[in-house]
Amino acid sequence: MQPFTYDALTGRVVFGPGTARAGLADEVSRLGVSRLLLITDTRAASLARELAVPLGGRVVGLFTGVQEHVPVTVAEAARQQAAETGADAVLSIGGGSATGTAKAVALTTGLPVIAVPTTYAGSEVTPVWGLTEGERKTTGTDSRVRPRLVLYDPELTVSLPPGLTAASGLNALAHCAEAFWAPGRNPVTALAAAEGIRVLAQALPLAVKDGTELVARSDVLYGAYLAGTAFGTAGSGLHHKICHVLGGRYGLPHAQTHAIVLPYVLAVNLPGAPEAAARIGRALDTADPAAAVQALAAGLGLPGGLRDIGLRGDDLDEAAELIEPAVPADNPVPVGVAELRTLLRAAWAGQPVTDEAAVQAAREAAVTAEVLASFAGATPPRYKELAQSLVRNLHAFAREIRLTQEEWQFGIDFLTRAGHITDDRRQEFILLSDVLGMSMLTIGINAPTAAGATESTVVGPFFVAGAPETPLGGDIANGAQGRPCYVSGTVTDTAGQPIAGARIDIWQSDEDGFYDVQYPDGRTAARGWLRTGPDGGYRFWSVHPAPYPIPDDGPVGELLEAAGRGPMRPAHLHFRVVVPGYRPLVTHIFVAGDEYLDKDAVFGVKESLIVEFTEHPPGPAPEGRPMSGPWSRVTFDMVLAPAAERAT
Ligand code: NAD
């Protein structure tokens, strides 16, 4: 790690949908100010008035004269209104121009700024101010202008039209990229910048496609916040110097200019900044970040060249001359007028910095965005969440392994065959879930947190509804072959109190490792249910369970064989315990010493479920049963978690 110096930015940030409407008044009280000058542009004036309602008389003035790039005359007018109204703070609601106007007031008055941004400009977390006089824009850094409080409310960005969303989002991405080589860079800004790039590139396509998609809007706003913090500390480098001249001298629109120029700056600088190239590449999942950013911008529908946003070709040479003196001395590669001319010509014409891979990545991202958008209106919200997450992860899977058409077809055939082999007595999909570990993962996610409760494990494919009831102490074997086995124990709550009347379903294999449903004769054997007695106790006779292979004559068996995995499960009994007021328990007990305990095909073994089965010689046995041959016995006490306990 290289030595570094870091002036950390302070200030309170409150982030989340609805925060502006629900939290502004409390946050203002918390700051201890009571006379606010509200600054906004004419477009946002009605929104600003609405947000100001809970503030009541604390808003002492409304300034709506905001203009882009903060002309000095506008700054003066706002300052004058602050003085006349006796404001003790400035509240800006709007984009970078409204924030910039509030900063201009703070610059000369020292009044604290509260910002409620509605774009992705990022200005709200930086100490940078800017003012224009005629064609000349002056910028500077002053900690007094950095807002003390920022409320990020993604709901306020929903109204941003697609073009502005794309441009403003790319502008944020430019802030992140630049933070890798700007003068104040440090490891912390690089961290924020890399994450900002990742989240922006991922969320922007959907936010542009469907502006009402709040998850994507939240992610982009979060990325913009990270971008602002990275930029606010690292400062500006080559990219901003170029955009500054293009915006100030030729009046090009701020965000679009950034979006167009960024790929060309990346193409010039990254060869001289290998660490930045690697980190930006990782964040964008590409080997060619410049091409990926250009493809992203194109995919978002942004104009490709500076000529498309009004720059004349005749101005390119002059622009290069104007930019050159501002190029930071420690730019990763030396850039003079000649290099700037080349860069500007390419950016003006919108020449591709591209390679085919980046175009391909954009094509794939567009498919995902389109499918995600198709679920945007799905209800209930949990369905939407499930569907979108499934799409996101399935698409990521296909992209990661570069799924071939043949593999896709194989997967379809596999699932089709799993469907065909499944019926009332054979459940291939549960088997599939089991051998892929999905069953145990789901159980783990939903495991009871109550200390001392019995652990769960897989339900498996052999549970059958409608098993026969057995009295306490009865025999569920019903003809199943195997050494008799006496099973007893208690069901209690986590305080040790017995639970009477709990329904316990039991099912297991016979000594040959088969469940009744695997025989073609329709028998019911080694399965049944009973209820705990008043003392919470249960007891029954059955047969000693045996290890067995899960059904491996179907597609799941092929999957195991191809992986060199065995189909065996260690010997066990299944229990399902249900009683009102408690979380249902689905579990097994495993026979201690079984040779397959550490290679269960379905990953179901848990240490606490391995139980000693004792062997007994012929003679008297429980329930007054005389045994003519050897028998075994096991005791297993179960503890149920209360129904209210949820997984964390
Ligand atoms: P902006 O504030 O001028 O907004 C652009 C346009 O979008 C305006 O017409 C505005 O009315 C409209 N708009 C804003 N929010 C909207 C919403 N939610 N829905 C619909 N329309 C909306 O520009 P900007 O892109 O937010 O910011 C650019 C300005 O900020 C530039 O002047 C730039 O120099 C400055 N800036 C400063 C810093 C800094 O650190 N000082 C950082 C970034 C940008």
Side-chain angles (χ1 to χ4, degrees), residues 443-506:
I443 286 164
I445 290 167
N446 294 283
T449 52
T454 300
E455 292 193 275
S456 312
T457 187
V458 288
V459 63
F462 297 119
F463 175 77
V464 175
E469 182 174 2
T470 308
L472 270 178
D475 191 344
I476 66 164
N478 198 24
Q481 293 300 304
R483 186 175 54 189
C485 180
Y486 185 68
V487 186
S488 62
T490 56
V491 177
T492 58
D493 65 15
T494 48
Q497 293 303 309
I499 301 175
R503 175 178 168 143
I504 306 180
D505 276 87
I506 310 108

Side-chain angles (χ1 to χ4, degrees), residues 104-202:
V105 176
L107 184 64
T108 54
T109 62
L111 293 181
V113 177
I114 301 166
V116 181
T118 62
T119 67
Y120 307 125
S123 165
E124 65 283 348
V125 282
T126 80
V128 181
W129 54 267
L131 289 167
T132 33
E133 195 158 18
E135 279 181 1
R136 213 176 115 74
K137 183 163 182 173
T138 314
T139 59
T141 298
D142 190 319
S143 62
R144 287 179 309 168
V145 309
R146 188 176 37 71
R148 300 261 190 90
L149 169 66
V150 184
L151 274 87
Y152 280 109
D153 187 342
E155 285 177 3
L156 305 188
T157 63
V158 162
S159 54
L160 268 177
L164 212 50
T165 301
S168 192
L170 252 282
N171 180 23
L173 205 142
H175 289 162
C176 293
E178 186 94 321
F180 282 99
W181 50 70
R185 64 188 175 274
N186 68 49
V188 184
T189 52
L191 204 62
E195 177 62 0
I197 290 173
R198 188 191 67 76
V199 78
L200 285 165
Q202 190 189 308

